[in-house]
Amino acid sequence: MSTPPLSSQPIVPPPVVPQLMAHLQAGMQLLQSGDARGADLHFRSALAIDAASVQANYACALASYQLNGLTEAEQFLRRAIQIQPGFFPAFGTLGLVLRAMGNDADSVAAFEQALAIKPDYVEAAFNLAVACADKNERAKAINLYRHVLALKPDFTPALTNLGNLLRAANEFEQAFICLVKAKKLMPNNPSADINMALVLTDLGRYVEAIAAGERAVANEPDAYESWEALGHAQLLAGDSGGAVVSLARANSLHPDVPQLQYDLGVAQIANGDLARGRETLNAVEALRPDWLKILFERDLALPPLYESQQHIAESRAAWIAGLEKIEARLLARNDWSTAEALTAVSAHTAFYLNYQDVDNTALQLRFARVVEHVVQRAYPQFSAPLAWQCAAHGQRLRIGFTSAYLRKHSVGYFFSAWITQLDKAKFESFVWHSSEISDVVTDKIRAGSAHFSHAPHDMAAFAESIVAAKLDVLIHLDVGMHPHAQVLAAMRLAPVQCVAYGHPVTTGLSSIDYYLTADAAEPEDAQLSYSEKLIRLPKLGVCYPMPDISRRAVPAMLSAHRKPFLLCVQRLFKVLPSMDILVARIARDLTRGLPGCTIAFFESLSPGLNNTFIKRISAAMRAGGVNPQSTLLMLPSMTYENFMGTVEAADLVLDTTHFSGGNSSFDAFAVGAPVVAYEGSMMRARQTSAMLRMMNIPELITRSDDEYVATAVALASDPQRLLELRRRILASRAALFDDTSTVRALESTLLQLVKRPSPL
């Protein structure tokens, strides 16, 4: 918050006492130049001339306030008010004096009295807003700041404070408007850049947030707040290495602050340095043993990149041991803070666990049991039976959808048609978008739904808003990705509760009745991998929109690399060490019959993780007799148009072996790129192969290491066959896109679920 200003109201002494006026004018000049003591001498001389002068008493109060003579200042001000009860500057300054004395209640009363006398008294309104904010009366403070800005639109402290309060109220777009204006008014102020970095991070505009943080650091390198804001933006943007550097600097400037240390530990773990991250979090635990979030972040930590298959086994064993520790702490004991436990389960998922090539159903059930136990204790009102049954209102069926990813994201692309193309004569859609990040996909969903809202950030208010809708069916689109989703899904908010396969893993939650999945991507025994009753929607179960490929462009950098050009488009954490060996084998076999090849991957935003990956896959290539310097290509982040051009330019796309592409495979097939799929035993390793079957191109589906390598080598060595595959993909890709029959199937399913709301 900005510092409350002194009143700037002019003092107008009586013209009939020239000597008194001379002392007041001389004193005010000294006061404004910083010489409060000299000013005090003049003001007291004026008071000696006329002890009943309102202006002399008020001036003495100003000097005493500056000299920290608070008791005397109060006396002068009360005397001025006694002499002239309507003298509003005295009330405004009395509010400041009383606040400095710790008398907050009377301070507020003084500011309010000043405003009652003069409603357009800007300083009093500002200082009252500051007082209300300090008392956590946020709504009143926001209204007062808006009143101040209506009177004085360029009052920078009010813009800054209002922006920060709106941020705290999660009104990020409105906060951004205020803070942008404040930034324009004080372009070289580091605090303005810090505030911009924070609000841009809230809005998911990470590139801009990092730029603002870098400006703040450049302008004020010794302010920990600058480094902290930059570090948070970097971490959320995926630059965990940069976040470690920034947050370590913030900690060095402001040591022994548990939250700063915690954030550093989180960044270190995200950057793959689990040992150092755990060491940092151990130090935080010594300071804050009540923070249960430390247990989840430290004991359930998994590296974003594994060094070897042995590393996977060791990490998995450590994760299981960590879960056992958490179970012993939360399930077997009651001496824990509900609020702290809720903070922990609201900030951590088992996301990375499911990128290991193992069936995690049993572990998902155990993790879900911990989440449910905490949520039921925190929100018992949302575990009780509901007050209504399906179709109780006798009108259109009310279908709710929740997600934090209703935007340009795989979840938005996969499931937006479920919302926008439901038969409006039969269904009434309610949508809660639990994120501030919105775009044209969000706008389309908003326009196509009967009720759309950005979900409250307070989880109880979020749940209440869903209950108030009295839904028939609630569909969570992606439990397992955003941690807030698992908290909400652990509640009973509708008679029938489903989850879609935005994250293709069972939730393990007893509160979720049905799992809506893609029949084409599930094995016959799929039910064994789910705690929910499985509902297999036909084909891929979604109406995926045809991507806009009209502006794709091939980056010039690709022209200098050897053909054939093989490309893996998946994020690096999906590339397990076992795939390195297969890539090395493919490169080795291609080198035998051809001058060489290029095999490319996309970099992450963290240089440290990129280096770890390059070191690991280069070792596998060298072990296979392949020169990584002439074979391996790491591609930078690029625009969607260049990404699609790169995919189209690839001779062959290599899908990841244990967690297939989804969104990226749709993109590849949209431009006719052949993708070699490695079909696994669970749905998360079968989406690409399902697409290939739907296009009747089964020869690109492999089921073993040898078959994967042989297929990739044979195709990359045969340009004519690759051209024929492209032709077939382009001719049959329509089977994958804009298939509204899947929405009709969903409608039939919803009607059946309402007739039999209990899972079979």
Side-chain angles (χ1 to χ4, degrees):
M1 291 293 178
S2 295
T3 303
L6 287 169
S7 174
S8 61
Q9 298 299 323
I11 298 174
V12 184
V16 295
V17 188
Q19 192 176 6
L20 182 147
M21 182 176 65
H23 280 298
L24 288 177
Q25 289 177 340
M28 285 303 296
Q29 289 176 355
L30 290 170
L31 189 66
Q32 290 169 359
S33 68
D35 185 2
R37 195 162 300 280
D40 185 58
L41 293 174
H42 279 286
F43 293 153
R44 289 181 188 271
S45 296
L47 192 65
I49 295 171
D50 184 0
S53 167
V54 171
Q55 288 81 6
N57 279 278
Y58 180 66
C60 286
L62 293 180
S64 296
Y65 178 71
Q66 290 289 334
L67 294 168
N68 207 31
L70 300 179
T71 301
E72 194 172 27
E74 180 187 5
Q75 292 170 351
F76 282 126
L77 290 166
R78 293 197 183 279
R79 175 63 177 158
I81 291 168
Q82 184 181 16
I83 296 167
Q84 187 176 327
F87 188 57
F88 60 87
F91 283 105
T93 306
L94 179 60
L96 290 175
V97 171
L98 292 171
R99 186 178 181 201
M101 296 171 72
N103 188 348
D104 293 337
D106 287 348
S107 170
V108 167
F111 292 136
E112 289 175 337
Q113 184 61 35
L115 283 173
I117 298 169
K118 186 174 176 57
D120 61 350
Y121 188 176
V122 169
E123 290 84 353
F126 176 86
N127 290 322
L128 180 56
V130 172
C132 290
D134 288 346
K135 293 167 60 180
N136 290 321
E137 296 177 358
R138 185 185 296 156
K140 185 176 180 180
I142 287 172
N143 288 334
L144 283 163
Y145 282 128
R146 285 176 169 154
H147 175 63
V148 169
L149 292 168
L151 298 169
K152 193 174 181 181
D154 290 344
F155 191 12
T156 306
L159 283 166
T160 300
N161 289 2
L162 177 58
N164 288 332
L165 273 183
L166 291 169
R167 273 196 67 238
N170 300 312
E171 296 182 32
F172 301 125
E173 290 287 356
Q174 292 301 311
F176 177 72
I177 293 171
C178 293
L179 295 172
V180 164
K181 190 170 184 180
K183 169 65 178 172
K184 289 179 180 178
L185 291 169
M186 46 181 187
N188 298 319
N189 188 313
S191 295
D193 282 316
I194 292 170
N195 291 329
M196 287 300 299
L198 293 172
V199 74
L200 287 165
T201 299
D202 294 330
L203 291 168
R205 294 164 61 173
Y206 302 129
V207 173
E208 296 168 85
I210 290 171
E214 289 173 341
R215 287 195 302 269
V217 164
N219 290 330
E220 198 166 0
D222 292 331
Y224 83 90
E225 297 94 339
S226 301
W227 292 99
E228 182 182 22
L230 175 59
H232 286 158
Q234 290 168 321
L235 184 60
L236 290 174
D239 182 7
S240 53
V244 168
V245 173
S246 298
L247 292 171
R249 178 64 174 152
N251 273 273
S252 70
L253 292 168
H254 198 43
D256 302 322
V257 178
Q259 186 60 51
L260 262 181
Q261 293 182 21
Y262 176 84
D263 293 341
L264 174 59
V266 170
Q268 289 167 331
I269 288 171
N271 200 42
D273 193 349
L274 270 63
R276 186 167 296 177
R278 285 170 172 149
E279 181 180 335
T280 301
L281 293 176
N282 287 341
V284 179
E285 188 176 44
L287 298 171
R288 293 301 306 262
D290 57 317
W291 280 6
L292 294 174
K293 63 183 180 180
I294 296 171
L295 273 68
F296 282 73
E297 194 64 42
R298 179 191 63 200
D299 299 334
L300 297 182
L302 287 170
L305 281 174
Y306 297 105
E307 297 174 3
S308 63
Q309 291 300 120
Q310 179 63 28
H311 190 202
I312 296 177
E314 292 170 353
S315 300
R316 184 177 181 82
W319 193 94
I320 294 171
L323 180 61
E324 290 171 350
K325 184 185 294 186
I326 290 171
E327 288 171 331
R329 182 75 178 87
L330 295 180
L331 300 183
R333 294 163 56 181
N334 291 316
D335 59 338
W336 44 272
S337 162
T338 301
E340 290 296 339
L342 187 62
T343 296
V345 300
S346 298
H348 193 92
T349 69
F351 180 80
Y352 280 122
L353 179 70
N354 296 295
Y355 289 90
Q356 298 175 353
D357 182 27
V358 188
D359 186 346
N360 296 311
T361 306
L363 292 179
Q364 284 289 120
L365 287 166
R366 288 172 59 183
F367 181 78
R369 185 178 172 221
V370 172
V371 173
E372 284 186 313
H373 187 66
V374 172
V375 172
Q376 288 169 5
R377 180 159 147 176
Y379 302 114
Q381 70 272 35
F382 301 125
S383 300
L386 298 171
W388 73 95
Q389 296 180 339
C390 284
H393 44 281
Q395 299 173 3
R396 293 180 297 168
L397 295 183
R398 298 176 180 177
I399 313 300
F401 300 88
T402 71
S403 175
Y405 303 101
L406 298 176
R407 51 184 170 84
K408 289 182 179 179
H409 184 279
S410 57
V411 173
Y413 292 132
F414 269 64
F415 303 111
S416 61
W418 282 14
I419 300 168
T420 61
Q421 297 192 37
L422 276 181
D423 186 341
K424 293 177 175 56
K426 298 177 182 177
F427 303 95
E428 185 177 6
S429 57
F430 294 75
V431 181
W432 288 269
H433 181 39
S434 55
S435 171
E436 294 302 319
I437 305 175
S438 300
D439 53 32
V440 293
V441 174
T442 316
D443 294 340
K444 183 178 179 180
I445 293 171
R446 181 187 290 107
S449 57
H451 309 276
F452 180 98
S453 62
H454 285 277
H457 287 256
D458 178 78
M459 191 57 67
F462 190 175
E464 286 286 2
S465 67
I466 296 175
V467 169
K470 288 187 167 53
L471 301 173
D472 297 301
V473 181
L474 174 60
I475 302 175
H476 301 278
L477 296 175
D478 48 49
V479 177
M481 296 183 69
H482 197 293
H484 287 178
Q486 70 192 10
V487 173
L488 196 72
M491 304 177 192
R492 175 56 68 177
L493 306 175
V496 177
Q497 300 195 150
C498 306
V499 65
Y501 70 93
H503 187 56
V505 179
T506 182
T507 68
L509 296 167
S510 62
S511 51
I512 299 297
D513 306 312
Y514 298 98
Y515 197 105
L516 303 174
T517 191
D519 181 59
E522 292 284 4
E524 290 185 7
D525 61 351
Q527 184 62 66
L528 297 176
S529 300
Y530 298 91
S531 62
E532 308 84 358
K533 175 68 176 178
L534 204 61
I535 295 179
R536 303 171 68 130
L537 296 173
K539 307 175 189 175
L540 290 172
V542 296
C543 180
Y544 193 97
M546 177 67 185
D548 180 5
I549 59 175
S550 60
R551 294 188 296 168
R552 62 194 185 278
V554 180
M557 62 179 294
L558 296 182
S559 61
H561 295 282
R562 293 181 180 178
K563 302 280 277 180
F565 173 47
L566 283 65
L567 174 67
C568 177
V569 300
Q570 304 305 318
R571 296 176 67 181
L572 295 183
F573 65 76
K574 294 174 72 172
V575 183
L576 297 183
S578 58
M579 184 174 173
D580 295 356
I581 299 172
L582 303 186
V583 169
R585 288 176 58 188
I586 292 168
R588 179 199 63 196
D589 291 354
L590 284 175
T591 303
R592 287 174 178 169
L594 299 167
C597 67
T598 299
I599 301 182
F601 295 84
F602 281 95
E603 294 176 338
S604 76
L605 292 177
S606 170
L609 295 181
N610 294 332
N611 291 337
T612 298
F613 176 75
I614 293 170
K615 179 180 178 181
R616 192 191 74 190
I617 197 169
S618 295
M621 286 183 172
R622 282 191 292 269
V626 176
N627 180 5
Q629 281 73 32
S630 61
T631 304
L632 179 64
L633 174 63
M634 300 302 297
L635 297 170
S637 178
M638 56 183 65
T639 65
Y640 182 71
E641 289 77 14
N642 281 344
F643 169 79
M644 292 298 281
T646 300
V647 173
E648 185 178 30
D651 296 296
L652 191 65
V653 174
L654 300 176
D655 202 14
T656 36
T657 54
H658 302 301
F659 202 118
S660 74
N663 199 58
S664 59
S665 293
F666 276 119
D667 281 341
F669 294 135
V671 295
V675 182
V676 178
Y678 193 127
E679 187 170 69
S681 61
M682 291 172 285
M683 192 269 194
R684 60 181 181 265
R686 300 170 65 93
Q687 292 184 64
T688 304
S689 59
M691 297 178 202
L692 288 166
R693 286 195 183 88
M694 290 172 62
M695 293 188 295
N696 194 28
I697 307 178
E699 61 265 42
L700 285 172
I701 302 171
T702 68
R703 297 172 187 81
S704 69
D705 291 357
D706 289 346
E707 188 179 9
Y708 183 83
V709 171
T711 300
V713 171
L715 291 173
S717 304
D718 192 342
Q720 287 302 120
R721 192 176 172 196
L722 286 174
L723 286 174
E724 175 60 19
L725 281 170
R726 285 180 181 274
R727 184 194 64 76
R728 289 171 59 193
I729 291 169
L730 292 172
S732 59
R733 67 185 178 184
L736 304 179
F737 300 107
D738 300 310
D739 184 358
T740 57
S741 70
T742 56
V743 181
R744 305 288 81 82
L746 174 66
E747 292 172 344
S748 298
T749 296
L750 294 173
L751 291 169
Q752 292 177 347
L753 292 181
V754 170
K755 291 179 182 178
R756 49 179 177 86
S758 298
L760 298 177

